[in-house]
Amino acid sequence: MGKEIKMIQLIRGFKDILPGEVELWQQIEKTARSLLEDFGFKEIRIPIMERTELFARSIGEDTDIVEKEMYTFPDRKGDLITLRPEATASVCRSYIQHKLYATDPVRKFYTIGPMFRRERPQKGRYRQFYQINAEIFGVDSPLADVELIFILVTLFSKLSVSDVNAHINSLGCPECRPMFKTALSDFLTSLNENLCSDCVRRKDRNPLRVVDCKVPACRAAMTDAPSIPDYLCPTCDQHFETTQKALSALNVPFVVDKGLVRGLDYYTRTTFEIQTSALGAQNAIAGGGRYDGLIKALGGPDIPATGFAIGLDRLTEIAGSNSTDLVKTPDIFIAALGEKGGSLAFEWNCALCLEGVKAEMEFGDKSLKSQMKRAHRLGAKHVLIVGDNEIKEGKVILRDMDTKDQVLIPIEDVMENIKLKLSVSNIKRE
Ligand code: AMP
C-alpha cells in the first residue's frame, strides 16, 4: 500500500484571494490609485521586511504590535528582521535614507500591499492583511489631515460604501500630552475596579493604551477618566479647531471621539478612524493621524507628517455586497475541430488577444459538444466554429450565444468581421 500524501494547508490567519474575488480588489485598488493620484500622491514601493529596530523604535516597545504581534526572526547571519506590521515606518525610512526631502520636504506618497501581525484571527482580522497607505510629509497645517479624511470619505462613497463615520480626536503634542498622562495615571491609580490583565500591566508602562481597551470591564471603569481634549495646549487646541472647521466646510460628517487613542506610539495631534457598523466587532476600515516627531526620531530632519491606512480586507467585505458582477467573461470562444482547424484557431486566438479581444479556445482534441459546453460555462458571448468542413468551404460559423443567431464569415476576413461584430454587440450591451 502506498503512503498517503498529506495535503499542505494555508497558515492560520493567512488567506488566498481567488479569481472571482480578486476582481473587486483590483477595482478598489484602481479607484484608490486614481483618486490619490488626482490629489498629487505618488506611488512608493517599500520592502516587506525591515530591520526589527525600525518598528520597535517607531511603533513603540510597549505597544501590542511590537510586544506580541510581530513576525520577527533572525536571518541566516543572526540579524533580527521583521515582516512589516505597517507601512508608515518604512515610508519614513525611505524618505530619510534617500533624502527625498532635500529638494522639497513636501511629499505625498501612497503604497498598497500586505502587512503581517500575529493577532488572534477572526472575521475581519487576519495575520496577513492588506492596506492602502497614504502619507503627507512636510505639512504642519491641519488642512493636510483634513485632505486625508476627505479622500477617505470620497473613496468610500465612490465605492458605494455609505455606512461610514469619521471619528476624530487630538492626542496633543510633547508639550501637553505629559500633563494628560499624569492625570490619567493618577486616575488609574485611584481606580478600584478590576481592569483586564493587559491593562493592569499597561497602567504603569503605557497608560494611554488603557483608554482604547475594548474589554467591557475596562470600558466601564474608564467612563469618568480624564479626556485628552481637555488638556490640549493652545497650539494643539487651535490645530484641532481648524481641523473641525475645515471638515465642516467640506461637508464631511464626523464625531469627536475622546476615547480614540489608536494603538501606535508615534501619533501626535489629530488622529482619526473611519468606522462602519456593517462589519461587527472589527469596525474600523481605515485609521490614521499626525505623527510629527517620527521622522526626527528615526534619524531624519524635524519634518511634520500625517497619514492613513485603509484595511483592504475589511473594505472588500463591505464593498463586495454593493458591487455588480466584475468577473470578465470571454468575448469569444473558438471551437476548433481537426488538426487544421486547431492551428488556425490558435493563430486567431493569439491575434484576437493582441487586439484586446478576450478570446479563449480549447487546447487539445475535444468534441464540438464538449467545447460548446465549456464556452457556455465560461460565459462566452460568441463562439467561432472552425472545423475541416468549414475550412474546405472557406467559411466559418460565428454564433451569438445570447440570441443563438449564426452567421457564416469568409475565412480571409475573419479577424475584421469578428472585431466588427463584437464592437456592435458590445455597443448593444452597454
Ligand atoms: P492600523 O495600522 O492598526 O491603524 O490599521 C489600519 C486599518 O488596517 C484598520 O482600520 C483595519 O481596517 C486594517 N487592519 C488592521 N489590522 C488588521 C488585521 N489584523 N486584519 C485585517 N485588517 C486589519
Side-chain angles (χ1 to χ4, degrees):
M1 279 254 289
K3 211 172 143 203
E4 201 179 309
I5 299 174
K6 200 175 156 225
M7 193 181 73
I8 301 167
Q9 300 267 0
L10 268 173
I11 309 171
R12 185 164 129 85
F14 288 61
K15 67 176 175 191
D16 299 313
I17 304 162
L18 302 175
E21 299 166 344
V22 87
E23 291 77 7
L24 177 63
W25 289 70
Q26 291 171 334
Q27 192 210 25
I28 293 177
E29 287 166 15
K30 197 169 152 199
T31 313
R33 275 175 194 281
S34 145
L35 184 65
L36 285 163
E37 286 178 12
D38 286 348
F39 274 85
F41 287 74
K42 303 271 186 285
E43 183 170 6
I44 183 167
R45 297 193 185 190
I46 42 174
I48 302 277
M49 288 195 278
E50 297 270 3
R51 292 175 197 283
T52 303
E53 196 190 344
L54 175 70
F55 302 115
R57 224 203 290 174
S58 58
I59 299 170
E61 300 273 5
D62 293 331
T63 57
D64 281 356
I65 297 180
V66 173
E67 261 184 357
K68 47 188 188 193
E69 294 169 3
M70 292 202 311
Y71 282 95
T72 296
F73 48 90
D75 76 357
R76 286 171 186 268
K77 277 194 170 165
D79 295 330
L80 271 191
I81 51 178
T82 294
L83 287 177
R84 62 182 188 193
E86 56 106 50
T88 302
S90 303
V91 180
C92 290
R93 186 216 23 84
S94 180
Y95 177 77
I96 299 165
Q97 184 170 345
H98 303 287
K99 296 197 170 54
L100 299 179
Y101 50 81
T103 43
D104 181 0
V106 180
R107 293 293 188 107
K108 293 172 163 187
F109 300 110
Y110 77 90
T111 192
I112 303 178
M115 308 295 151
F116 304 85
R117 294 182 199 168
R118 204 176 185 291
E119 296 187 81
R120 196 171 52 78
Q122 65 180 80
K123 186 170 158 47
R125 202 206 269 151
Y126 309 97
R127 290 178 169 178
Q128 174 173 337
F129 59 97
Y130 293 79
Q131 287 187 339
I132 301 174
N133 288 262
E135 322 285 348
I136 303 180
F137 291 164
V139 185
D140 200 12
S141 162
L143 296 186
D145 310 71
V146 173
E147 181 174 282
L148 291 170
I149 299 171
F150 182 68
I151 290 173
L152 286 172
V153 171
T154 308
L155 175 67
F156 297 141
S157 127
K158 276 179 183 285
L159 297 170
S160 307
V161 173
S162 52
D163 178 22
V164 293
N165 254 318
H167 288 232
I168 65 167
N169 194 17
S170 174
L171 295 184
C173 65
E175 293 282 305
C176 52
R177 201 182 327 176
M179 283 178 293
F180 166 69
K181 271 194 169 172
T182 310
L184 184 62
S185 291
D186 291 348
F187 172 81
L188 290 171
T189 314
S190 69
L191 212 60
N192 291 323
E193 275 100 327
N194 285 336
L195 296 173
C196 71
S197 57
D198 275 341
C199 283
V200 169
R201 196 168 33 84
R202 290 169 180 147
K203 211 161 93 165
D204 302 317
R205 291 178 63 184
N206 197 348
L208 230 83
R209 286 287 84 73
V210 184
V211 178
D212 68 352
C213 180
K214 303 281 185 287
V215 173
C218 299
R219 289 210 143 185
M222 295 301 285
T223 322
D224 296 326
S227 83
I228 312 185
D230 299 336
Y231 289 80
L232 296 181
C233 63
T235 324
C236 287
D237 199 37
Q238 182 63 47
H239 202 277
F240 197 41
E241 271 293 304
T242 314
T243 308
Q244 296 178 55
K245 279 199 185 125
L247 282 172
S248 303
L250 289 174
N251 293 320
V252 174
F254 65 90
V255 289
V256 175
D257 179 347
K258 296 175 181 175
L260 183 73
V261 294
R262 320 233 333 112
L264 293 78
D265 267 3
Y266 54 59
Y267 286 116
T268 50
R269 295 192 171 158
T270 303
T271 50
F272 51 86
E273 204 162 84
I274 309 291
Q275 301 180 358
T276 170
S277 55
L279 276 175
Q282 302 305 319
N283 64 352
I285 41 173
R290 185 160 277 282
Y291 49 96
D292 287 341
L294 183 60
I295 295 173
K296 189 163 179 221
L298 291 175
D302 193 1
I303 289 176
T306 177
F308 68 60
I310 301 172
L312 262 175
D313 307 71
R314 293 182 195 172
L315 184 54
T316 52
E317 273 162 34
I318 323 173
S321 52
N322 302 331
S323 72
T324 47
D325 198 3
L326 296 167
V327 181
K328 296 190 182 86
T329 52
D331 295 315
I332 188 159
F333 184 92
I334 310 179
L337 295 164
E339 203 176 315
K340 272 196 195 147
S343 48
L344 251 187
F346 186 56
E347 250 173 61
W348 290 339
N349 184 75
C350 294
L352 285 167
C353 290
L354 277 186
E355 298 269 349
V357 173
K358 279 178 266 321
E360 292 253 3
M361 64 174 286
E362 187 73 61
F363 296 104
D365 242 354
K366 292 272 165 66
S367 70
L368 183 60
K369 192 172 166 202
S370 105
Q371 296 191 58
M372 292 305 285
K373 260 196 192 159
R374 174 133 193 270
H376 187 71
R377 205 169 48 240
L378 291 173
K381 294 158 197 133
H382 296 86
V383 176
L384 187 75
I385 302 166
V386 45
D388 290 340
N389 270 348
E390 283 75 21
I391 296 174
K392 220 187 287 162
E393 303 279 319
K395 288 191 175 117
V396 286
I397 301 167
L398 183 64
R399 180 181 170 90
D400 184 315
M401 295 292 273
D402 282 342
T403 61
K404 315 267 188 292
D405 288 344
Q406 297 202 156
V407 285
L408 287 174
I409 307 177
I411 283 188
E412 57 274 21
D413 299 335
V414 93
M415 289 291 292
E416 284 319 304
N417 265 297
I418 289 175
K419 280 193 285 174
L420 192 71
K421 181 94 182 141
L422 295 188
S423 65
V424 171
S425 70
N426 277 346
I427 293 168
K428 268 198 216 145
R429 272 167 204 274
E430 278 162 13

